[in-house]
Amino acid sequence: MLLTLVAFVVALGVLIAVHEYGHYRVAVACGVKVLRFSVGFGKPLLRWQPKGSSTEFVLSAFPLGGYVRMLDEREAPVPEAERHLAFNTQPLRSRAAIVAAGPIANLLLAVLLYSVVNWSGVQEPKALLASPVAGSVAQVAGLRGGELVHSAALGSAELEPVRSFEDLRWLLTRGALEGERVRLEVEPTPGVVHREVSLDMAQIDTREADAQLFRKVGLLGPWTRPVLGDIMADGAAQRAGLRQGDLVLKIGAVDVVDGQQLRELIRQSVRTDAAVVQAWRIERGGQQLTLDVMPDVQKEQNASVGRIGAYVGAPPEFVIVQHGPVEGLWNGVVRTWDVSVLTLRMMGRMVVGQASLKNLSGPLTIADYAGRSASMGFTQYLVFLALISVSLGVLNLLPLPVLDGGHLMYYLWEGVTGRKVSDAWMEHLQRGGVAVLLLMMSIALFNDITRLFG
Protein backbone atom coordinates (compact mmCIF):
# COMPACT_ATOMS: atom_id res chain seq x y z
CA MET A 1 0.00 0.00 0.00
CA LEU A 2 2.80 2.43 0.88
CA LEU A 3 4.66 1.61 -2.35
CA THR A 4 1.48 2.24 -4.36
CA LEU A 5 0.91 5.60 -2.66
CA VAL A 6 4.53 6.75 -3.11
CA ALA A 7 4.66 5.57 -6.73
CA PHE A 8 1.37 7.34 -7.50
CA VAL A 9 2.39 10.64 -5.86
CA VAL A 10 5.78 10.63 -7.59
CA ALA A 11 4.15 9.88 -10.95
CA LEU A 12 1.63 12.69 -10.54
CA GLY A 13 4.28 15.13 -9.37
CA VAL A 14 6.62 14.42 -12.28
CA LEU A 15 3.94 14.45 -14.99
CA ILE A 16 2.22 17.60 -13.72
CA ALA A 17 5.49 19.45 -13.15
CA VAL A 18 6.71 18.63 -16.67
CA HIS A 19 3.38 19.70 -18.19
CA GLU A 20 3.31 23.02 -16.37
CA TYR A 21 7.01 23.61 -17.00
CA GLY A 22 6.28 23.38 -20.72
CA HIS A 23 3.78 26.25 -20.39
CA TYR A 24 6.14 28.20 -18.11
CA ARG A 25 9.27 27.83 -20.22
CA VAL A 26 7.64 28.91 -23.48
CA ALA A 27 5.79 31.77 -21.75
CA VAL A 28 9.09 33.13 -20.45
CA ALA A 29 10.67 32.67 -23.89
CA CYS A 30 7.80 34.67 -25.44
CA GLY A 31 8.31 37.53 -22.96
CA VAL A 32 5.25 36.86 -20.79
CA LYS A 33 5.45 37.58 -17.06
CA VAL A 34 4.65 34.46 -15.05
CA LEU A 35 3.22 35.19 -11.61
CA ARG A 36 2.89 31.68 -10.18
CA PHE A 37 3.96 28.14 -11.08
CA SER A 38 1.92 25.65 -9.02
CA VAL A 39 2.01 21.87 -8.80
CA GLY A 40 -1.33 20.98 -7.27
CA PHE A 41 -4.38 23.05 -6.30
CA GLY A 42 -5.70 24.43 -3.05
CA LYS A 43 -3.76 25.50 0.03
CA PRO A 44 -0.03 26.03 -0.62
CA LEU A 45 2.17 23.65 1.38
CA LEU A 46 5.49 25.03 0.19
CA ARG A 47 6.34 28.20 -1.69
CA TRP A 48 9.50 29.96 -2.77
CA GLN A 49 10.57 32.71 -5.15
CA PRO A 50 14.08 32.68 -6.62
CA LYS A 51 16.02 35.90 -6.24
CA GLY A 52 15.51 38.16 -9.24
CA SER A 53 12.51 36.17 -10.50
CA SER A 54 8.93 37.43 -10.79
CA THR A 55 7.55 33.89 -10.45
CA GLU A 56 6.40 32.30 -7.20
CA PHE A 57 6.81 28.51 -7.20
CA VAL A 58 4.20 26.63 -5.16
CA LEU A 59 3.54 23.05 -4.05
CA SER A 60 -0.16 22.79 -3.13
CA ALA A 61 -2.23 20.35 -1.11
CA PHE A 62 -4.44 18.78 -3.80
CA PRO A 63 -2.07 17.03 -6.26
CA LEU A 64 -4.45 16.19 -9.15
CA GLY A 65 -3.35 19.01 -11.43
CA GLY A 66 -1.44 22.28 -11.53
CA TYR A 67 -1.36 25.67 -13.21
CA VAL A 68 0.80 28.52 -14.47
CA ARG A 69 -0.68 31.94 -13.69
CA MET A 70 0.47 34.64 -16.08
CA LEU A 71 -0.02 38.39 -16.14
CA ASP A 72 -3.35 38.85 -17.97
CA GLU A 73 -5.69 41.82 -18.33
CA ARG A 74 -8.70 39.48 -18.29
CA GLU A 75 -7.93 38.46 -14.71
CA ALA A 76 -6.75 41.70 -13.11
CA PRO A 77 -5.77 45.27 -14.06
CA VAL A 78 -2.29 45.46 -15.57
CA PRO A 79 -0.10 48.57 -15.25
CA GLU A 80 0.49 50.25 -18.58
CA ALA A 81 4.25 49.79 -18.14
CA GLU A 82 3.79 46.00 -17.98
CA ARG A 83 1.07 45.65 -20.58
CA HIS A 84 3.55 44.23 -23.12
CA LEU A 85 4.28 41.41 -20.61
CA ALA A 86 0.62 40.28 -20.38
CA PHE A 87 -0.46 37.03 -21.97
CA ASN A 88 -3.54 38.48 -23.67
CA THR A 89 -1.50 41.13 -25.53
CA GLN A 90 0.80 38.61 -27.19
CA PRO A 91 0.46 37.75 -30.89
CA LEU A 92 -1.65 34.71 -31.76
CA ARG A 93 1.34 32.50 -32.56
CA SER A 94 2.87 33.15 -29.12
CA ARG A 95 -0.36 32.42 -27.24
CA ALA A 96 -0.86 29.21 -29.22
CA ALA A 97 2.73 28.14 -28.58
CA ILE A 98 2.41 28.74 -24.83
CA VAL A 99 -0.81 26.72 -24.60
CA ALA A 100 0.48 23.85 -26.77
CA ALA A 101 3.76 23.64 -24.86
CA GLY A 102 2.27 21.74 -21.89
CA PRO A 103 0.97 18.70 -23.81
CA ILE A 104 4.03 18.74 -26.05
CA ALA A 105 6.25 18.62 -22.94
CA ASN A 106 4.43 15.47 -21.82
CA LEU A 107 4.92 13.84 -25.22
CA LEU A 108 8.62 14.77 -25.20
CA LEU A 109 8.93 13.30 -21.70
CA ALA A 110 7.45 10.05 -23.01
CA VAL A 111 10.02 10.00 -25.83
CA LEU A 112 12.80 10.50 -23.28
CA LEU A 113 11.51 7.80 -20.92
CA TYR A 114 11.06 5.24 -23.69
CA SER A 115 14.52 6.13 -24.99
CA VAL A 116 16.11 5.68 -21.54
CA VAL A 117 14.53 2.23 -21.29
CA ASN A 118 15.82 1.39 -24.79
CA TRP A 119 19.33 2.61 -24.00
CA SER A 120 19.65 0.97 -20.59
CA GLY A 121 18.48 -2.43 -21.76
CA VAL A 122 15.86 -4.60 -20.12
CA GLN A 123 15.28 -8.31 -19.61
CA GLU A 124 12.16 -9.40 -21.49
CA PRO A 125 10.67 -12.83 -22.22
CA LYS A 126 11.78 -14.43 -25.47
CA ALA A 127 9.13 -14.41 -28.22
CA LEU A 128 8.55 -18.15 -27.86
CA LEU A 129 4.83 -18.85 -28.06
CA ALA A 130 2.86 -20.82 -25.49
CA SER A 131 -0.05 -23.06 -26.48
CA PRO A 132 -2.88 -20.86 -27.79
CA VAL A 133 -6.28 -20.73 -26.13
CA ALA A 134 -8.73 -23.19 -27.67
CA GLY A 135 -10.89 -21.59 -30.38
CA SER A 136 -8.87 -18.36 -30.35
CA VAL A 137 -7.61 -16.39 -33.34
CA ALA A 138 -4.10 -17.79 -32.82
CA GLN A 139 -5.27 -21.41 -32.82
CA VAL A 140 -7.47 -20.89 -35.89
CA ALA A 141 -4.43 -19.38 -37.66
CA GLY A 142 -2.54 -22.65 -37.12
CA LEU A 143 -0.31 -21.84 -34.14
CA ARG A 144 0.21 -24.76 -31.78
CA GLY A 145 2.72 -23.47 -29.24
CA GLY A 146 6.50 -23.67 -29.12
CA GLU A 147 6.97 -21.47 -32.22
CA LEU A 148 9.64 -18.76 -32.10
CA VAL A 149 8.51 -15.45 -33.64
CA HIS A 150 11.31 -13.89 -35.71
CA SER A 151 9.46 -10.98 -37.28
CA ALA A 152 5.97 -9.50 -37.52
CA ALA A 153 3.96 -6.72 -39.16
CA LEU A 154 0.56 -5.08 -39.23
CA GLY A 155 -1.44 -5.54 -42.42
CA SER A 156 0.67 -5.27 -45.56
CA ALA A 157 3.58 -3.47 -43.87
CA GLU A 158 7.09 -4.85 -44.17
CA LEU A 159 8.03 -7.50 -41.63
CA GLU A 160 10.21 -6.16 -38.81
CA PRO A 161 12.31 -8.11 -36.27
CA VAL A 162 10.62 -9.14 -33.02
CA ARG A 163 13.15 -8.95 -30.19
CA SER A 164 10.96 -10.14 -27.34
CA PHE A 165 7.48 -11.21 -26.34
CA GLU A 166 6.79 -7.63 -25.22
CA ASP A 167 7.42 -6.44 -28.80
CA LEU A 168 4.92 -9.03 -29.98
CA ARG A 169 2.38 -8.13 -27.28
CA TRP A 170 2.43 -4.47 -28.32
CA LEU A 171 1.93 -5.38 -31.99
CA LEU A 172 -0.96 -7.71 -31.11
CA THR A 173 -2.55 -4.97 -28.98
CA ARG A 174 -2.42 -2.54 -31.88
CA GLY A 175 -3.73 -5.14 -34.30
CA ALA A 176 -6.66 -6.05 -32.06
CA LEU A 177 -7.70 -2.47 -31.25
CA GLU A 178 -7.30 -1.30 -34.85
CA GLY A 179 -8.90 -4.44 -36.35
CA GLU A 180 -5.77 -4.96 -38.47
CA ARG A 181 -4.42 -8.34 -39.58
CA VAL A 182 -1.13 -9.32 -37.88
CA ARG A 183 1.42 -11.34 -39.84
CA LEU A 184 3.98 -13.44 -37.96
CA GLU A 185 7.07 -15.14 -39.35
CA VAL A 186 7.66 -18.11 -37.07
CA GLU A 187 10.12 -20.98 -36.72
CA PRO A 188 7.99 -24.00 -35.72
CA THR A 189 10.93 -25.93 -34.26
CA PRO A 190 14.69 -25.24 -34.26
CA GLY A 191 16.17 -25.78 -37.71
CA VAL A 192 12.82 -25.92 -39.51
CA VAL A 193 12.14 -23.49 -42.36
CA HIS A 194 10.30 -20.32 -41.29
CA ARG A 195 6.65 -19.96 -42.23
CA GLU A 196 4.26 -17.01 -42.18
CA VAL A 197 1.08 -17.06 -40.09
CA SER A 198 -1.70 -14.50 -40.43
CA LEU A 199 -3.90 -13.59 -37.46
CA ASP A 200 -7.32 -12.19 -38.43
CA MET A 201 -7.78 -9.62 -35.65
CA ALA A 202 -10.87 -8.05 -37.25
CA GLN A 203 -13.05 -10.86 -35.87
CA ILE A 204 -12.25 -9.87 -32.26
CA ASP A 205 -14.82 -7.78 -30.38
CA THR A 206 -12.70 -5.02 -28.86
CA ARG A 207 -15.41 -2.76 -27.48
CA GLU A 208 -13.86 -3.43 -24.08
CA ALA A 209 -10.03 -3.48 -24.05
CA ASP A 210 -9.91 -5.51 -20.86
CA ALA A 211 -7.90 -8.45 -19.57
CA GLN A 212 -9.90 -10.76 -21.85
CA LEU A 213 -8.44 -9.17 -24.99
CA PHE A 214 -5.41 -11.45 -25.14
CA ARG A 215 -7.57 -14.46 -24.31
CA LYS A 216 -9.51 -13.70 -27.50
CA VAL A 217 -6.25 -13.38 -29.42
CA GLY A 218 -5.10 -16.62 -27.80
CA LEU A 219 -1.50 -15.70 -26.97
CA LEU A 220 -1.51 -15.06 -23.22
CA GLY A 221 2.21 -15.34 -22.57
CA PRO A 222 5.53 -16.85 -23.59
CA TRP A 223 6.28 -20.58 -23.48
CA THR A 224 7.17 -22.03 -20.07
CA ARG A 225 7.78 -25.51 -18.70
CA PRO A 226 4.68 -26.99 -16.94
CA VAL A 227 6.29 -26.88 -13.51
CA LEU A 228 4.62 -25.92 -10.22
CA GLY A 229 6.04 -23.03 -8.20
CA ASP A 230 4.99 -21.76 -4.77
CA ILE A 231 2.18 -23.78 -3.18
CA MET A 232 -0.41 -21.86 -1.14
CA ALA A 233 -1.45 -23.18 2.25
CA ASP A 234 -4.83 -24.94 2.29
CA GLY A 235 -5.14 -24.74 -1.51
CA ALA A 236 -6.19 -27.56 -3.82
CA ALA A 237 -2.57 -28.26 -4.77
CA GLN A 238 -1.47 -28.72 -1.16
CA ARG A 239 -4.49 -30.89 -0.35
CA ALA A 240 -3.68 -33.18 -3.28
CA GLY A 241 -0.04 -33.57 -2.20
CA LEU A 242 1.50 -31.53 -5.02
CA ARG A 243 4.86 -29.87 -4.30
CA GLN A 244 6.93 -27.03 -5.64
CA GLY A 245 9.07 -28.26 -8.53
CA ASP A 246 6.65 -30.97 -9.69
CA LEU A 247 6.68 -31.35 -13.49
CA VAL A 248 3.16 -32.04 -14.81
CA LEU A 249 3.20 -34.59 -17.63
CA LYS A 250 -0.46 -35.41 -18.11
CA ILE A 251 -3.92 -34.51 -16.79
CA GLY A 252 -6.38 -37.30 -17.45
CA ALA A 253 -5.72 -38.42 -21.02
CA VAL A 254 -4.25 -35.07 -22.13
CA ASP A 255 -0.47 -34.67 -22.49
CA VAL A 256 0.72 -31.37 -20.97
CA VAL A 257 3.32 -29.57 -23.08
CA ASP A 258 3.71 -26.15 -21.44
CA GLY A 259 2.66 -23.92 -18.56
CA GLN A 260 -0.01 -22.05 -20.53
CA GLN A 261 -1.78 -25.28 -21.51
CA LEU A 262 -1.61 -26.42 -17.89
CA ARG A 263 -3.22 -23.20 -16.69
CA GLU A 264 -6.01 -23.59 -19.25
CA LEU A 265 -6.66 -27.19 -18.25
CA ILE A 266 -6.94 -26.10 -14.61
CA ARG A 267 -9.31 -23.23 -15.51
CA GLN A 268 -11.57 -25.58 -17.47
CA SER A 269 -11.68 -28.28 -14.79
CA VAL A 270 -15.16 -27.33 -13.56
CA ARG A 271 -18.62 -28.50 -14.52
CA THR A 272 -21.74 -26.53 -13.54
CA ASP A 273 -20.02 -24.76 -10.60
CA ALA A 274 -18.49 -27.98 -9.27
CA ALA A 275 -14.87 -29.05 -9.61
CA VAL A 276 -13.95 -32.35 -11.25
CA VAL A 277 -11.40 -34.71 -9.73
CA GLN A 278 -8.59 -35.33 -12.22
CA ALA A 279 -5.70 -37.75 -12.32
CA TRP A 280 -2.43 -35.82 -12.63
CA ARG A 281 0.69 -37.60 -13.87
CA ILE A 282 3.73 -35.76 -12.50
CA GLU A 283 7.48 -36.20 -12.37
CA ARG A 284 9.19 -35.60 -9.02
CA GLY A 285 12.84 -36.30 -8.34
CA GLY A 286 13.16 -38.50 -11.42
CA GLN A 287 10.12 -40.62 -10.53
CA GLN A 288 6.62 -40.49 -11.97
CA LEU A 289 3.59 -40.30 -9.67
CA THR A 290 -0.18 -40.13 -10.16
CA LEU A 291 -2.20 -37.87 -7.83
CA ASP A 292 -5.91 -37.04 -7.74
CA VAL A 293 -6.44 -33.28 -7.84
CA MET A 294 -9.76 -31.44 -7.35
CA PRO A 295 -9.33 -27.72 -8.14
CA ASP A 296 -11.20 -25.05 -6.20
CA VAL A 297 -13.99 -23.18 -8.00
CA GLN A 298 -13.79 -19.39 -8.32
CA LYS A 299 -15.87 -16.79 -10.16
CA GLU A 300 -14.24 -14.79 -12.94
CA GLN A 301 -16.12 -12.51 -15.33
CA ASN A 302 -19.42 -14.20 -14.34
CA ALA A 303 -18.00 -17.63 -15.17
CA SER A 304 -16.72 -20.46 -12.96
CA VAL A 305 -13.05 -21.38 -13.34
CA GLY A 306 -10.73 -23.81 -11.60
CA ARG A 307 -7.85 -22.79 -9.32
CA ILE A 308 -5.33 -24.96 -7.47
CA GLY A 309 -3.62 -22.38 -5.25
CA ALA A 310 -0.16 -22.66 -6.79
CA TYR A 311 2.09 -20.73 -9.15
CA VAL A 312 1.79 -22.59 -12.46
CA GLY A 313 4.62 -22.57 -15.00
CA ALA A 314 8.37 -22.04 -14.71
CA PRO A 315 9.84 -18.59 -15.47
CA PRO A 316 10.11 -18.01 -19.23
CA GLU A 317 13.37 -17.74 -21.12
CA PHE A 318 14.61 -14.13 -21.12
CA VAL A 319 16.63 -12.05 -23.57
CA ILE A 320 18.33 -8.67 -23.09
CA VAL A 321 16.76 -6.01 -25.32
CA GLN A 322 19.00 -2.96 -25.72
CA HIS A 323 19.28 -0.30 -28.43
CA GLY A 324 22.04 2.08 -29.48
CA PRO A 325 21.80 5.87 -29.02
CA VAL A 326 20.14 6.74 -32.35
CA GLU A 327 18.04 3.59 -32.65
CA GLY A 328 16.88 3.89 -29.03
CA LEU A 329 15.82 7.51 -29.52
CA TRP A 330 14.03 6.75 -32.78
CA ASN A 331 12.20 3.80 -31.22
CA GLY A 332 11.16 6.12 -28.37
CA VAL A 333 9.70 8.55 -30.91
CA VAL A 334 7.91 5.75 -32.78
CA ARG A 335 6.47 4.22 -29.60
CA THR A 336 5.22 7.63 -28.41
CA TRP A 337 3.59 8.23 -31.78
CA ASP A 338 2.00 4.77 -31.88
CA VAL A 339 0.60 5.08 -28.34
CA SER A 340 -0.73 8.58 -29.13
CA VAL A 341 -2.49 7.41 -32.29
CA LEU A 342 -3.90 4.36 -30.52
CA THR A 343 -5.16 6.53 -27.65
CA LEU A 344 -6.89 8.92 -30.06
CA ARG A 345 -8.49 6.05 -31.96
CA MET A 346 -9.82 4.50 -28.77
CA MET A 347 -11.26 7.86 -27.68
CA GLY A 348 -12.87 8.30 -31.09
CA ARG A 349 -14.37 4.82 -30.93
CA MET A 350 -15.82 5.57 -27.49
CA VAL A 351 -17.40 8.78 -28.80
CA VAL A 352 -19.16 6.97 -31.69
CA GLY A 353 -20.12 3.99 -29.54
CA GLN A 354 -17.74 1.44 -31.11
CA ALA A 355 -15.87 1.04 -27.81
CA SER A 356 -17.21 0.83 -24.29
CA LEU A 357 -16.88 3.69 -21.82
CA LYS A 358 -15.62 1.03 -19.42
CA ASN A 359 -12.23 1.60 -21.05
CA LEU A 360 -11.94 4.96 -19.24
CA SER A 361 -9.66 4.78 -16.21
CA GLY A 362 -9.33 7.20 -13.32
CA PRO A 363 -6.91 7.93 -10.46
CA LEU A 364 -7.57 4.69 -8.56
CA THR A 365 -6.62 2.49 -11.52
CA ILE A 366 -3.61 4.70 -12.27
CA ALA A 367 -2.49 4.41 -8.63
CA ASP A 368 -2.92 0.63 -8.75
CA TYR A 369 -0.84 0.36 -11.93
CA ALA A 370 1.77 2.73 -10.48
CA GLY A 371 2.25 0.42 -7.50
CA ARG A 372 2.34 -2.71 -9.62
CA SER A 373 4.86 -1.30 -12.08
CA ALA A 374 7.08 0.03 -9.27
CA SER A 375 7.07 -3.39 -7.60
CA MET A 376 8.28 -4.93 -10.90
CA GLY A 377 11.34 -2.68 -11.04
CA PHE A 378 12.52 0.78 -12.05
CA THR A 379 12.40 0.04 -15.79
CA GLN A 380 8.76 -1.03 -15.70
CA TYR A 381 7.94 2.08 -13.68
CA LEU A 382 9.55 4.25 -16.37
CA VAL A 383 7.43 2.51 -19.03
CA PHE A 384 4.33 3.20 -16.91
CA LEU A 385 5.31 6.89 -16.56
CA ALA A 386 5.81 7.14 -20.33
CA LEU A 387 2.39 5.62 -21.03
CA ILE A 388 0.60 7.97 -18.62
CA SER A 389 2.58 10.95 -19.94
CA VAL A 390 1.38 10.18 -23.48
CA SER A 391 -2.20 9.85 -22.24
CA LEU A 392 -1.97 13.19 -20.40
CA GLY A 393 -0.51 14.91 -23.46
CA VAL A 394 -3.12 13.52 -25.84
CA LEU A 395 -6.01 14.23 -23.45
CA ASN A 396 -4.99 17.87 -23.06
CA LEU A 397 -4.83 18.33 -26.83
CA LEU A 398 -8.48 17.33 -27.26
CA PRO A 399 -10.63 20.24 -28.52
CA LEU A 400 -12.57 20.40 -25.26
CA PRO A 401 -13.08 23.77 -23.52
CA VAL A 402 -11.11 24.09 -20.24
CA LEU A 403 -8.36 21.85 -21.71
CA ASP A 404 -5.37 23.15 -23.66
CA GLY A 405 -6.87 21.78 -26.86
CA GLY A 406 -9.99 23.87 -26.25
CA HIS A 407 -7.93 27.05 -26.07
CA LEU A 408 -6.13 26.05 -29.26
CA MET A 409 -9.58 25.66 -30.84
CA TYR A 410 -10.36 29.27 -29.86
CA TYR A 411 -7.09 30.41 -31.43
CA LEU A 412 -7.86 28.48 -34.61
CA TRP A 413 -11.18 30.36 -34.83
CA GLU A 414 -9.32 33.64 -34.26
CA GLY A 415 -6.77 32.80 -36.93
CA VAL A 416 -9.43 31.91 -39.51
CA THR A 417 -11.92 34.70 -38.81
CA GLY A 418 -9.65 37.40 -37.46
CA ARG A 419 -11.93 37.77 -34.42
CA LYS A 420 -11.53 36.47 -30.87
CA VAL A 421 -14.24 34.29 -29.37
CA SER A 422 -16.65 36.59 -27.50
CA ASP A 423 -16.73 36.58 -23.70
CA ALA A 424 -20.32 35.30 -23.73
CA TRP A 425 -19.51 32.36 -25.99
CA MET A 426 -16.35 31.69 -24.02
CA GLU A 427 -18.38 31.44 -20.81
CA HIS A 428 -20.92 29.05 -22.33
CA LEU A 429 -18.22 26.85 -23.86
CA GLN A 430 -16.25 26.74 -20.64
CA ARG A 431 -19.32 25.64 -18.69
CA GLY A 432 -20.03 22.94 -21.25
CA GLY A 433 -16.42 21.79 -21.14
CA VAL A 434 -16.49 21.57 -17.35
CA ALA A 435 -19.69 19.51 -17.51
CA VAL A 436 -18.21 17.07 -20.04
CA LEU A 437 -14.98 16.79 -18.06
CA LEU A 438 -16.85 16.12 -14.81
CA LEU A 439 -18.93 13.46 -16.58
CA MET A 440 -15.80 11.77 -17.91
CA MET A 441 -14.18 11.87 -14.46
CA SER A 442 -17.32 10.40 -12.86
CA ILE A 443 -17.43 7.53 -15.38
CA ALA A 444 -13.70 6.89 -14.90
CA LEU A 445 -14.04 6.86 -11.12
CA PHE A 446 -17.04 4.50 -11.33
CA ASN A 447 -15.00 2.20 -13.61
CA ASP A 448 -12.13 2.30 -11.09
CA ILE A 449 -14.36 1.28 -8.20
CA THR A 450 -16.03 -1.47 -10.25
CA ARG A 451 -12.69 -2.76 -11.56
CA LEU A 452 -10.87 -2.77 -8.23
CA PHE A 453 -13.63 -3.50 -5.73
CA GLY A 454 -16.47 -5.01 -7.78
Side-chain angles (χ1 to χ4, degrees), residues 368-388:
D368 182 49
Y369 286 165
R372 291 187 188 185
S373 62
S375 67
M376 295 169 65
F378 185 64
T379 299
Q380 291 302 319
Y381 186 61
L382 291 184
V383 172
F384 162 79
L385 281 179
L387 180 62
I388 300 301

Side-chain angles (χ1 to χ4, degrees), residues 86-367:
F87 175 81
N88 67 292
T89 64
Q90 303 304 309
L92 178 60
R93 62 178 181 275
S94 296
R95 284 178 280 139
I98 293 169
V99 169
I104 291 174
N106 283 123
L107 296 177
L108 291 176
L109 174 64
V111 171
L112 176 61
L113 292 173
Y114 281 130
S115 299
V116 168
V117 171
N118 292 334
W119 294 329
S120 60
V122 60
Q123 273 199 335
E124 295 181 352
K126 193 174 182 179
L128 190 62
L129 302 182
S131 299
V133 175
S136 65
V137 171
Q139 188 187 57
V140 171
L143 294 172
R144 293 294 175 263
E147 297 95 344
L148 178 64
V149 181
H150 284 272
S151 56
L154 278 181
S156 59
E158 185 178 348
L159 290 168
E160 296 183 359
V162 172
R163 298 193 179 205
S164 69
F165 193 84
E166 293 306 314
D167 281 357
L168 177 61
R169 190 192 299 274
W170 170 242
L171 193 67
L172 293 172
T173 301
R174 290 178 57 199
L177 296 180
E178 297 175 17
E180 189 78 58
R181 185 176 296 273
V182 176
R183 293 158 42 229
L184 307 179
E185 184 186 39
V186 302
E187 181 182 354
T189 55
V192 176
V193 177
H194 298 181
R195 67 186 178 96
E196 187 172 303
V197 176
S198 181
L199 306 184
D200 184 9
M201 311 298 265
Q203 62 181 283
I204 298 177
D205 181 2
T206 57
R207 283 175 294 182
E208 291 186 31
D210 55 13
Q212 298 300 309
L213 177 61
F214 279 96
R215 179 164 294 279
K216 298 169 186 174
V217 175
L219 300 176
L220 298 180
W223 187 91
T224 59
R225 293 179 68 235
V227 173
L228 299 183
D230 293 338
I231 307 293
M232 293 175 56
D234 300 323
Q238 187 185 65
R239 294 196 301 269
L242 293 169
R243 299 179 186 173
Q244 182 176 349
D246 285 347
L247 175 65
V248 183
L249 305 175
K250 181 178 288 191
I251 293 182
V254 181
D255 291 326
V256 178
V257 297
D258 67 3
Q260 175 55 38
Q261 182 199 18
L262 176 56
R263 286 188 287 271
E264 285 300 304
L265 290 172
I266 295 171
R267 283 176 57 87
Q268 298 166 8
S269 60
V270 295
R271 299 289 186 275
T272 60
D273 292 345
V276 176
V277 178
Q278 298 172 314
W280 284 37
R281 190 70 175 171
I282 65 170
E283 181 178 310
R284 178 187 297 166
Q287 295 184 337
Q288 293 190 9
L289 304 172
T290 300
L291 298 174
D292 289 333
V293 180
M294 185 172 72
D296 296 320
V297 180
Q298 293 185 5
K299 288 289 185 180
E300 181 181 290
Q301 299 286 327
N302 298 320
S304 297
V305 298
R307 291 281 189 268
I308 64 169
Y311 186 89
V312 178
E317 183 179 350
F318 284 88
V319 293
I320 299 293
V321 178
Q322 188 172 19
H323 302 269
V326 176
E327 184 186 17
L329 177 60
W330 176 246
N331 284 344
V333 172
V334 171
R335 176 56 65 91
T336 301
W337 172 260
D338 287 343
V339 175
S340 301
V341 171
L342 195 60
T343 301
L344 281 173
R345 286 183 176 176
M346 281 299 296
M347 289 179 176
R349 292 178 62 188
M350 283 189 279
V351 170
V352 300
Q354 294 180 354
S356 172
L357 291 176
K358 292 181 180 180
N359 293 310
L360 284 176
S361 296
L364 296 181
T365 295
I366 294 173

Side-chain angles (χ1 to χ4, degrees), residues 415-435:
V416 171
T417 65
R419 304 190 310 272
K420 293 184 178 181
V421 178
S422 68
D423 292 340
W425 266 106
M426 184 85 74
E427 183 178 351
H428 291 312
L429 289 171
Q430 292 295 97
R431 287 180 179 177
V434 169

